[in-house]
Structure formats: C-alpha cells, structure tokens
Amino acid sequence: MKGLFISSKGIAYPEELEILSSVFNHFCQDHQIKPESTEAAELARVIISLFEAGLCEEAAIREVLDSMKNGTLKRPADSLADHR
C-alpha cells in the first residue's frame, strides 16, 4: 500500500498520536460509539494493538476497523499482512 508507514519500534510520536486519535474519533462518530463506553475502550485497545503491530497509516487502520466491525475479519492480524 502506497504511503504506508510501519513503525518498527512501536513508539508513537506526536504526529502518530494525532493519527490514532483521529481514527478513534472518526470511528466513534461513524458508528455512534460513545467515547466513554466500554465499546470505545475496546476500540482504543484494538487501535493501539494495530499500531503496535506496525500499522500506522490512518486509512489502513480505518479499513481494518471497518472490516472488523462488518464481521469480515476473524482477527486483526489477518488484514495486517495485506497492508505490509
């Protein structure tokens, strides 16, 4: 995938934190998830897990999340290989 940035160290720099926050906020808004809900906490864990696995591009993370939400993925790792 063009423009994909893979973080080899799992360190989130300020610009990456902005991306992760944007993904979280947009996903919550798009799927009517209250940010203080249990579902939002799980979403945050999944986003961080995807980042720690090396997925750092906003569009790619959103694509994986949308696939998971639609039930087309069994595990997030199934889609990671497609984005590397």
Side-chain angles (χ1 to χ4, degrees), residues 22-70:
S22 177
V23 169
F24 176 83
N25 291 330
H26 283 106
F27 196 87
C28 284
Q29 183 177 15
D30 292 348
H31 297 279
Q32 291 82 42
I33 298 171
K34 293 183 181 185
E36 66 281 353
S37 69
T38 303
E39 187 176 6
E42 181 59 28
L43 171 63
R45 281 190 283 277
V46 170
I47 291 170
I48 294 298
S49 294
L50 292 171
F51 174 78
E52 288 175 339
L55 199 57
C56 302
E57 184 184 71
E58 183 170 354
I61 295 171
R62 291 182 72 173
E63 182 181 324
V64 172
L65 292 173
D66 285 338
S67 295
M68 292 172 64
K69 185 73 175 176
N70 294 328

Side-chain angles (χ1 to χ4, degrees), residues 1-5 57:
M1 178 174 263
K2 187 176 180 179
L4 180 65
F5 172 73
E57 184 184 71

